[in-house]
Amino acid sequence: MPGDPNLPNPHRRNFLRGSAGVAIAPFAVRAARAEIPALDASEDARALTAVGMTVNGQRRRLSVDARTSLLDALRDQAGLTGAKKGCDQGQCGACTVHVDRRRILSCLMFAVASDGADITTIEGLAGEDGALHPMQASFIDQDAFQCGFCTPGQILSAVACVKEGHAETEADIREYMSGNLCRCAAYPNIVAAIRQAKPLMEG
Amino acid sequence: MSGHETALRELPLIGRGHARYDGRAKVTGRAQFAADVVVADPIHAFLLLSTIPRGRIDRIKTDRALVLPGVIDILTHENAPALAAPVSQAAGSATNHQPLIDPDIVFDGQVIGVVLAENFETAREAAALVDIHYVKQPAAVTLDSPGAVTERWSEINQNFEDLEVGDAEKALAEAPVTIDATYHMQSQVHNAMEPFPTTVLWDGDDLIVHEPSQYVVGLQRGVARQLGIDPSRVRIISPYIGGGFGSKLSLTPRTAILAALARKHRRPVKLVATRSQGFTLSTYRGESRHRIRLGATPDGKLTAFAHEAWEMCSRFGAYASASTDLTADMYAAPSILTRVNIVRTDRTTPGFMRGPGEMPYMFALETAMDELAYRLEMDPVELRRLNEPARSPIDGSRFTSRSLVKCFDEAAERFGWRNRNPVPGANRDGDWLVGYGCAAATFPCFNYGGSATVTLLRSGRARVETAASEIGTGAYTALGQVAAELLDLPIENVEVLLGDSLLPPTAPAGGSMQTASTVPAIRLACERIVSRLGNRMPALADLGAAFDRLGTLSIQETAQYAAFDGKNANGGRAVLSTPDGDEPIAIASYGAQFVEVRINARTKELRVPRLVGAFAAGRILNERMALAQYRGGMVWGLSSALFEGLAIDPIQSRVTNTNFEEYAIPVNADVQMVEAILVPEEDHEVNPLGVKGIGEIGIVGVAAAVSNAIFHATGKRLRDLPITLDKLF
Ligand code: FES
Ligand code: FES
């Protein structure tokens, strides 16, 4: 529901604040859990830290610089280049992935903060037999992209948008998909794709 | 032409909307964009850009950065490898500034260094530790800044002439009704979702460049020239491009510099420029101002048209979109006077950006036409109908096809234009003031020519190869579909290879000309294949037997198409060779844009619930791809009307909004109904398939239609883009 502080609020006008909050919140929570040693001033932020996570159903161990974003860790270390770097500062949504079943801007999350997390990227959305997720199939049917650069982020956001219950009306979809920019402006087709996929996801 | 000898099937005027060839790759994350390419052991590069607009680097200290563990090298003007100067590409503008050759700063955001490190984080950190001292000088960064210098474009560009038809000054002085108004728009930046990545690696003496390019052949030549090597030693690989809009047409300085660094360090070098750096790495649409004067009779017949434009340029470059020929060709004014000026400022050189001049020049003309319609108390659609020219008002050239009036009629009908109350400020729905506006759209046809290879296998599978670029236009789909239809094959049987400089060269994905330039070559290749099969394409089931008779397993044909015998690469005009001699023809696409705006009477919140456009651009190869291009273009038009513009800090003389929070573009919630209507149009002269361009016309006219709708809603005439909330009070 709009205004729920626990959910991403992708409305552009408070998007920055909203999404930064989303990214930083799990970091704080996890740091508090003391699963990773907190960094103090004497410690070298450039030293590598081992993190373990589940990515698309597979356990991964990565060794990351404390400054590495989850986006760069996924792209450069895990070899999953589906998530894109459109701005690297939480303003475009191209890097959207699911962390513990919630959509997140992976450029705003430190990789060290994803220790223990369950992550889904666009590469993990289709079934193992290669059958497309209904959202992926609907994006093709409704021609919901042109260049395709924003598309992985749009699709992951769209899946979350439906699961959050924010796809009841077209106006809702537009509002809750406004954190994912598309310069090719496939917006109306993205809305149509989500409307097509929603009953298939729920059915 | 051999085209008339072989029985190739005629394609439909509006081709089937096959789904995207690359759809599956794009929805699964498998489509490999330049930054996704994995190379072994890359060095990561981070660019250093100037933070003053004009002056020089007094001192640049890299010692603190160099001692950082993992830093490999820092390049500045003091130690940069010598490279040849970049030249303008065949496609037109290049960012012709060559950085790192001296300490001079000539624009804000100029490349002044490159940091190389073992990883991205270290490169970025080291970049922040480089200590730069500047000597600043005052800079002129807007059209009106002191120190900006105006020059007449025709004196700089020998191929350009201002227009003078009849005596427009006299006609204006004598006209019973006149409009004299000045329009302005702020600079805009393409901001494709994919920024500017480059990965370069050497394989012996051969250079491989992974870089998104709208013109791989141009990039290949440009980089080779700068490095002083033969173009055959450079391969550009760019199968997917995350949006271009003109920003990836030009050679930018980064590529040759990175290649030189990769050679020096004998390792691949990878750069992913930041969003903010992307604002000055390539070109942009420069700020412009337009003075339009119209003279008319009381019943609405134009007697004079005058258009003077001022376009921002750099000090060192030479670029103007100079689209006065386009505006002068719109309406039947018996006297015409135009003049294009460039204004030299301390900014980087502007260049092609979707509808480069068409968008701003038509914003000016089409707002002025609306002003005239209201002055005459005439329906704006009727005013345009009344002034529809039979031939070009500039030089009497024949239009090969021109469906402007038809576009207006179809869009007006769909939009429900007729039932509106034309009185400004008279339409209210509760708190909301409602306004309708319309404007014409046009885009000239460019003809560049191209080449392609088509291979047909005995099995009935085929392959199309050409160095075209897929920037989101659906090039894979449209080019493959043409081959499938001409060879009578299921579309699934056709493989398409694009975006590689090893493939047969073709026109750039710019100027809305790539498809129109490439499909005739594909058609020629298909024709030759069919002629080898006995001038008739056998049914799929009989293909094996036909190949066996020829004793071959595959037939491969490479064909080249030279538009108008290579005589024309300019927009909007061509010369037809006829038995009676050469005939000049005018070639362009047309459209009509209708917009509804709703403005809250109290808060001035502005919403655009409906955009309706109708476009006629010759044969449409794939209905879906065309609709996507038109609708995407219309949203670009909306964006140029209400959102986009560089914000200049007058004290620092710098651009302040180099990010997506402050450089606004529409988000999903800003876009409601966007409807495009395909108006069928047959044209046998523009090229063998009668295909005109569709990638850019969608943006043209929308800004005028929006400002005209705002006038209808409020009675307020706004002539300055973007129309932000403050301007509505
Ligand atoms: S790359 Fe993460 S929001 Fe743009
Ligand atoms: S499809 Fe190109 S940015 Fe969305």
Side-chain angles (χ1 to χ4, degrees):
Chain A
M1 101 190 45
D4 180 344
N6 295 316
L7 288 174
N9 176 359
H11 181 14
R12 183 205 180 98
R13 268 80 213 178
N14 17 29
F15 177 56
L16 271 181
R17 249 156 287 141
S19 44
V22 170
I24 287 162
F27 178 57
V29 170
R30 283 173 202 288
R33 265 197 258 145
E35 284 170 9
I36 4 163
L39 293 167
D40 65 47
S42 66
E43 222 162 335
D44 184 359
R46 300 175 203 109
L48 297 183
T49 306
V51 292
M53 51 182 105
T54 305
V55 185
N56 300 331
Q58 290 187 323
R59 291 287 303 159
R60 308 288 290 242
R61 285 201 75 73
L62 304 176
S63 163
V64 297
D65 185 308
R67 300 163 296 177
T68 304
S69 66
L70 176 60
L71 174 63
D72 284 335
L74 288 170
R75 289 179 54 82
D76 295 343
Q77 294 196 38
L80 297 168
T81 55
K84 301 290 184 249
K85 188 182 279 191
C87 69
D88 216 14
Q89 53 190 33
Q91 298 175 342
C92 77
C95 62
T96 305
V97 299
H98 292 177
V99 174
D100 296 333
R101 283 172 297 288
R102 286 166 41 172
R103 50 173 154 168
I104 212 135
L105 301 173
S106 62
C107 72
L108 285 188
M109 182 168 187
F110 289 120
V112 288
S114 61
D115 192 47
D118 183 9
I119 296 168
T120 303
T121 71
I122 191 73
E123 290 90 345
L125 207 57
E128 289 193 347
D129 54 350
L132 295 178
H133 184 281
M135 193 61 79
Q136 292 172 308
S138 302
F139 263 61
I140 295 178
D141 283 353
Q142 297 294 338
D143 205 33
F145 52 90
Q146 293 176 32
C147 76
F149 194 81
C150 72
T151 312
Q154 298 281 0
I155 290 175
L156 285 163
S157 232
V159 169
C161 182
V162 170
K163 290 188 177 165
E164 290 158 12
H166 291 143
E168 297 305 317
T169 64
E170 284 201 12
D172 252 14
I173 295 174
R174 283 200 292 265
E175 195 70 15
Y176 282 90
M177 287 300 292
S178 281
N180 289 81
L181 302 184
C182 177
R183 185 55 155 161
C184 299
Y187 296 129
N189 303 35
I190 291 169
V191 174
I194 295 174
R195 287 186 74 91
Q196 178 182 324
K198 181 176 178 280
L200 300 171
M201 281 174 65
E202 291 164 347
Chain B
M1 195 188 293
S2 60
H4 305 295
E5 292 153 19
T6 308
L8 275 192
R9 63 155 67 198
E10 173 102 4
L11 300 184
L13 264 192
I14 296 180
R16 242 181 86 188
H18 284 292
R20 279 174 204 266
Y21 174 88
D22 41 1
R24 201 181 163 95
K26 284 177 176 173
V27 302
T28 53
R30 277 193 297 104
Q32 202 174 46
F33 294 85
D36 302 341
V37 174
V38 178
V39 291
D41 196 26
I43 295 175
H44 293 263
F46 198 93
L47 298 176
L48 281 169
L49 303 189
S50 68
T51 55
I52 63 162
R54 182 163 169 254
R56 47 184 282 275
I57 299 171
D58 186 32
R59 199 151 37 85
I60 185 158
K61 287 179 64 187
T62 54
D63 43 347
R64 275 175 68 218
L66 278 168
V67 297
L68 208 63
V71 173
I72 296 168
D73 195 1
I74 298 177
L75 200 72
T76 69
H77 67 276
E78 291 169 352
N79 63 350
L83 293 170
V87 284
S88 282
Q89 289 182 267
S93 75
T95 55
N96 57 347
H97 175 254
Q98 187 173 19
L100 304 179
I101 51 171
D102 56 35
D104 293 346
I105 304 295
V106 290
F107 63 91
D108 181 22
Q110 164 187 333
V111 174
I112 55 168
V114 185
V115 178
L116 298 183
E118 292 295 342
N119 59 45
F120 170 73
E121 292 78 11
T122 304
R124 182 178 54 188
E125 183 182 359
L129 292 174
V130 175
D131 202 6
I132 304 154
H133 291 263
Y134 298 101
V135 177
K136 285 192 211 173
Q137 287 174 331
V141 292
T142 70
L143 293 180
D144 298 324
S145 303
V149 175
T150 299
E151 294 175 18
R152 193 169 179 166
W153 180 238
S154 59
E155 281 163 15
I156 297 165
N157 181 348
Q158 306 305 321
N159 298 320
F160 180 81
E161 275 174 47
D162 288 318
L163 301 172
E164 196 173 346
V165 177
D167 189 343
E169 291 292 0
K170 182 159 171 273
L172 283 165
E174 290 169 358
V177 185
T178 55
I179 295 289
D180 181 349
T182 300
Y183 306 86
H184 173 259
M185 62 165 291
Q186 198 39 274
S187 301
Q188 301 177 338
V189 183
H190 316 78
N191 270 311
M193 288 309 299
E194 174 191 47
F196 295 97
T198 299
T199 297
V200 289
L201 59 150
W202 289 88
D203 177 8
D205 289 335
D206 291 330
L207 175 68
I208 296 173
V209 179
H210 297 277
E211 179 176 307
S213 171
Q214 294 177 244
Y215 189 33
V216 288
V217 179
L219 182 59
Q220 174 194 36
R221 287 190 209 127
V223 171
R225 189 189 156 101
Q226 279 203 273
L227 293 169
I229 60 177
D230 193 80
S232 64
R233 294 244 159 267
V234 178
R235 180 176 177 195
I236 311 293
I237 303 178
S238 173
Y240 293 105
I241 297 141
F245 313 113
S247 67
K248 291 161 184 165
L249 262 177
S250 304
L251 175 72
T252 72
R254 72 189 193 275
T255 321
I257 294 171
L258 296 172
L261 286 171
R263 188 161 54 186
K264 175 179 171 196
H265 292 281
R266 302 180 172 280
R267 280 172 69 184
V269 174
K270 176 172 184 169
L271 168 77
V272 180
T274 67
R275 170 61 50 192
S276 171
Q277 293 172 341
F279 276 72
T280 50
L281 266 188
S282 184
T283 63
Y284 62 108
R285 193 194 321 272
E287 179 188 356
S288 68
R289 175 171 291 132
H290 305 261
R291 181 184 180 200
I292 303 277
R293 287 178 293 161
L294 301 174
T297 62
D299 56 0
K301 277 276 194 196
L302 286 175
T303 58
F305 166 68
H307 189 164
E308 180 164 13
W310 293 263
E311 297 188 39
M312 168 172 281
C313 194
S314 64
R315 301 266 184 211
F316 52 86
Y319 171 86
S321 59
S323 297
T324 38
D325 284 14
L326 189 88
T327 49
D329 251 355
M330 283 307 292
Y331 302 112
S335 66
I336 300 170
L337 186 64
T338 69
R339 181 180 171 123
V340 175
N341 308 289
I342 63 168
V343 180
R344 296 210 178 269
T345 61
D346 301 298
R347 295 271 294 270
T348 186
T349 314
F352 301 123
M353 175 167 160
R354 201 176 199 177
E358 293 77 13
M359 186 258 125
Y361 281 67
M362 286 292 282
F363 162 64
L365 171 62
E366 290 301 293
T367 313
M369 285 295 281
D370 200 67
E371 299 198 37
L372 179 61
Y374 276 101
R375 179 80 55 80
L376 294 164
E377 294 183 11
M378 204 172 165
D379 181 337
V381 175
E382 291 313 310
L383 177 64
R384 286 161 173 101
R385 191 192 312 279
L386 189 69
N387 287 288
E388 173 70 3
R391 284 178 164 258
S392 161
I394 300 174
D395 56 10
S397 291
R398 178 169 60 82
F399 294 104
T400 58
S401 54
R402 177 174 162 124
S403 311
L404 178 66
V405 170
K406 210 162 164 229
C407 289
F408 264 108
D409 287 343
E410 290 209 17
E413 177 69 28
R414 185 74 59 92
F415 185 83
W417 175 259
R418 207 177 324 150
N419 301 329
R420 83 199 199 293
N421 173 354
V423 180
N427 301 277
R428 224 180 144 123
D429 178 6
D431 269 354
W432 295 87
L433 303 170
V434 182
Y436 288 1
C438 68
T442 181
F443 196 86
C445 294
F446 292 80
N447 277 274
Y448 200 81
S451 57
T453 299
V454 180
T455 311
L456 178 65
L457 303 182
R458 184 185 179 279
S459 62
R461 297 196 62 82
R463 186 191 302 135
V464 177
E465 297 168 78
T466 177
S469 299
E470 162 55 24
I471 52 174
T473 49
Y476 283 107
T477 320
L479 301 183
Q481 183 168 346
V482 167
E485 292 184 2
L486 293 175
L487 295 176
D488 220 349
L489 299 172
I491 192 158
E492 304 74 37
N493 283 25
V494 180
E495 182 190 8
V496 185
L497 297 183
L498 306 178
D500 189 327
S501 59
L502 288 179
L503 299 171
T506 196
S512 299
M513 66 173 147
Q514 184 180 267
T515 306
S517 297
T518 310
V519 287
I522 294 176
R523 185 177 190 276
L524 269 174
C526 291
E527 208 167 73
R528 290 186 196 152
I529 289 174
V530 171
S531 95
R532 284 179 63 182
L533 286 164
N535 275 347
R536 258 187 92 98
M537 186 65 193
L540 201 50
D542 304 332
L543 207 54
F547 271 73
D548 293 345
R549 275 196 295 281
L550 291 171
T552 185
L553 290 173
S554 71
I555 303 177
Q556 183 170 79
E557 289 287 349
T558 297
Q560 198 176 349
Y561 160 68
F564 300 105
D565 308 323
K567 273 187 287 194
N568 168 64
N570 292 325
R573 283 291 185 280
V575 177
L576 271 187
S577 306
T578 72
D580 309 325
D582 284 353
E583 187 199 358
I585 49 171
I587 46 177
S589 307
Y590 294 89
Q593 310 270 15
F594 286 75
V595 170
E596 176 183 340
V597 301
R598 298 172 85 86
I599 298 166
N600 189 290
R602 279 184 260 240
T603 65
K604 305 297 181 202
E605 177 183 348
L606 191 156
R607 294 279 144 190
V608 181
R610 290 196 296 151
L611 300 175
V612 176
F615 307 95
R619 188 184 308 282
I620 297 299
L621 298 173
N622 177 307
E623 183 177 16
R624 261 189 201 231
M625 308 298 121
L627 288 174
Q629 284 303 298
Y630 289 147
R631 295 168 80 195
M634 290 162 76
V635 175
W636 266 62
L638 179 67
S639 187
S640 65
L642 300 177
F643 294 87
E644 284 182 64
L646 285 181
I648 309 285
D649 171 353
I651 297 168
Q652 298 285 335
S653 298
R654 297 191 60 200
V655 176
T656 60
N657 58 344
T658 59
N659 61 69
F660 271 140
E661 192 200 4
E662 293 154 298
Y663 186 94
I665 62 170
V667 300
N668 207 320
D670 295 314
V671 178
Q672 299 184 37
M673 197 198 101
V674 183
E675 189 176 345
I677 301 163
L678 305 178
V679 176
E681 184 182 72
E682 219 169 332
D683 187 317
H684 296 290
E685 293 166 307
V686 65
N687 52 49
L689 280 120
V691 175
K692 297 177 176 178
I694 59 172
E696 293 169 269
I697 189 172
I699 181 177
V700 182
V702 179
V706 169
S707 92
N708 296 342
I710 291 173
F711 178 77
H712 182 224
T714 64
K716 211 172 158 77
R717 185 58 77 178
L718 295 169
R719 303 183 182 92
D720 186 22
L721 301 182
I723 301 170
T724 43
L725 194 66
D726 49 306
K727 294 176 186 164
L728 294 169
F729 281 95

